[in-house]
Amino acid sequence: MLACVFEGKNEWQIREIPEPKPLPHEVLIRVKAAGICGTDIHILKGEYFQDFPIVAGHEFSGEVVEVGEKVTQFRLGDRVTADPNIFCDRCYYCKINKNNHCLNLQAVGVTRGGAFAELVPVPEKCVFPLSSRLTFEEGALAEPLACVVYGVERSGIRPGEKVLIFGAGPIGLLLATLFRASGASLVVMVDVSEKKLHLAKNLGADEVILADGREGEKIRKIAPQGFEIVVDATGIPAVMEREWEFVEPDGTFLLFGVAPRGSKISLDPYEVFRKDLHIIGSFAVKKTMQYSLNMLEGGKVEVKNLISATYPLREFGKALEDVLTNPDHLKVQIVF
Ligand SMILES: [Zn+2]
Ligand SMILES: [Zn+2]
């Protein structure tokens, strides 16, 4: 089958690789859509925990073409998507319900073959039915939305709270929509791209602010006391450093964007003490995939407008260029 193989640091090629056979508990999926995510770029740059060569791609949907002999919930032709995270269900953290910190964590498209290929085998316990109300492209956004559901859960938002989000990429926009659906009274988004902010406004952000060096003043004008929840969805340490000062007392600073490993930010610990601040992270997906699908199927979160371009697998290079060089790109997908 045809696959895009990451051969080494910043090296990839489209080539034929052997067709995978599903193990007894696995479902073999013919990939229909697979999104390119920041994590894939980290993998390609050798900044993530994986070995080369690897077929990346962990946000996907497709059709079941073969099932292992122990599979009971899926049949040929089923439309499906998947949670790429494979928990061992045996280790210390799995036993105390911290599965996303599983000591033996495997992930489709990270530690094993992923969806930038025609076929991908996935353990049945990670496969989810995809409603016919959703397109495959929309279904491939269920995984990033599941990460966002987990982040919003962790923020502990209560009805009526105000939320400030830095970064209006696909993740920032998903966060905005979900915070609104979760009872936020005000959602403000900050970004450097006017185009993204325009979309943010259409998707339901109450206020959008262009990051032009004077954004601090504008933010304070909207909410002089600050925000209960401030979210970073940029992953840029220099930006993160300036965000936490907008958190109001007893509020939460959610670091959602993935910063480069080993990077540092400085913050005033006296202010953290004086303002009763909560600083939290959110790693991947923890059993939130079904909730993500519920939100998509129920029309509570619209993802169609988040897909800025689709490319066939053969044009992976063009797709990659779009992600790396077009400042207005949102979710870029490979379609089959
Ligand atoms: Zn991802
Ligand atoms: Zn485990």
Side-chain angles (χ1 to χ4, degrees):
M1 67 169 177
L2 206 59
C4 174
V5 185
F6 291 2
E7 309 279 9
K9 234 177 159 174
N10 297 313
E11 245 179 78
W12 60 271
Q13 65 172 320
I14 309 283
R15 63 173 165 95
E16 286 290 327
I17 61 169
E19 259 186 33
K21 275 302 277 179
L23 294 172
H25 61 280
E26 286 181 348
V27 171
L28 188 63
I29 300 168
R30 179 169 295 284
V31 181
K32 294 287 188 181
I36 300 181
C37 163
T39 303
D40 299 315
I41 306 298
H42 287 298
I43 292 172
L44 186 57
K45 289 182 176 169
E47 297 168 349
Y48 215 61
F49 54 91
Q50 88 288 334
D51 295 318
F52 294 113
I54 179 89
V55 174
H58 59 272
E59 308 175 351
F60 60 96
S61 61
E63 238 168 48
V64 175
V65 286
E66 198 178 335
V67 293
E69 66 209 28
K70 297 234 166 83
V71 169
T72 60
Q73 307 295 307
F74 296 95
R75 281 190 284 175
L76 302 199
D78 282 354
R79 303 170 89 249
V80 292
T81 181
D83 179 347
N85 302 288
I86 308 166
F87 308 139
C88 80
D89 297 323
R90 293 175 184 82
C91 74
Y92 175 80
Y93 290 127
C94 281
K95 281 181 172 157
I96 57 172
N97 201 29
K98 296 184 180 179
N99 305 68
N100 55 333
H101 299 286
C102 172
L103 294 167
N104 308 304
L105 185 65
Q106 297 285 314
V108 175
V110 181
T111 63
R112 53 183 266 162
F116 297 147
E118 290 174 288
L119 299 165
V120 61
V122 180
E124 180 183 18
K125 67 174 183 172
C126 300
V127 181
F128 291 77
L130 179 66
S131 156
S132 59
R133 285 199 293 274
L134 297 170
T135 63
F136 286 115
E137 286 83 356
E138 290 170 311
L141 274 147
E143 191 272 346
L145 180 61
C147 297
V148 166
V149 171
Y150 182 53
V152 171
E153 242 179 53
R154 286 185 56 74
S155 79
I157 183 163
R158 287 173 296 188
E161 291 190 330
K162 305 179 294 300
V163 181
L164 172 64
I165 301 169
F166 287 83
I171 290 291
L173 293 168
L174 287 175
L175 281 161
T177 318
L178 201 63
F179 271 117
R180 263 189 85 92
S182 305
S185 58
L186 177 72
V187 176
V188 179
M189 296 199 79
V190 183
D191 199 276
V192 291
S193 159
E194 302 224 29
K195 204 167 164 188
K196 286 181 184 172
L197 289 176
H198 184 73
L199 185 59
K201 193 95 204 200
N202 287 342
L203 289 175
D206 299 287
E207 302 275 356
V208 296
I209 295 173
L210 187 68
D212 56 1
R214 290 181 41 238
E215 63 276 11
E217 280 165 51
K218 294 181 218 162
I219 294 168
R220 269 184 217 96
K221 214 166 169 189
I222 293 170
Q225 316 295 343
F227 293 78
E228 283 89 348
I229 298 170
V230 174
V231 188
D232 178 82
T234 72
I236 304 167
V239 176
M240 291 173 169
E241 218 161 41
R242 300 198 308 264
E243 294 168 351
W244 63 274
E245 62 184 272
F246 301 106
V247 186
E248 70 173 49
D250 199 17
T252 298
F253 181 27
L254 169 61
L255 291 162
F256 198 91
V258 183
R261 209 177 200 168
S263 56
K264 302 272 188 292
I265 62 169
S266 65
L267 87 187
D268 183 342
Y270 176 81
E271 291 294 315
V272 176
F273 149 74
R274 184 65 185 80
K275 288 170 81 179
D276 275 350
L277 297 189
H278 308 258
I279 299 175
I280 62 169
S282 179
F283 175 64
V285 174
K286 194 177 100 181
K287 307 207 168 175
T288 45
M289 193 70 180
Q290 188 58 57
Y291 295 127
S292 162
L293 284 163
N294 294 352
M295 295 304 264
L296 289 174
E297 284 166 21
K300 303 290 179 207
V301 178
E302 268 288 344
V303 292
K304 233 181 254 130
N305 296 327
L306 299 185
I307 303 164
S308 58
T310 58
Y311 298 86
L313 185 63
R314 289 237 178 245
E315 288 178 17
F316 191 84
K318 274 192 192 163
L320 203 57
E321 200 185 308
D322 194 355
V323 171
L324 294 174
T325 65
N326 172 8
D328 292 327
H329 84 273
L330 289 166
K331 181 55 73 182
V332 174
Q333 291 183 337
I334 301 299
V335 291
F336 295 81

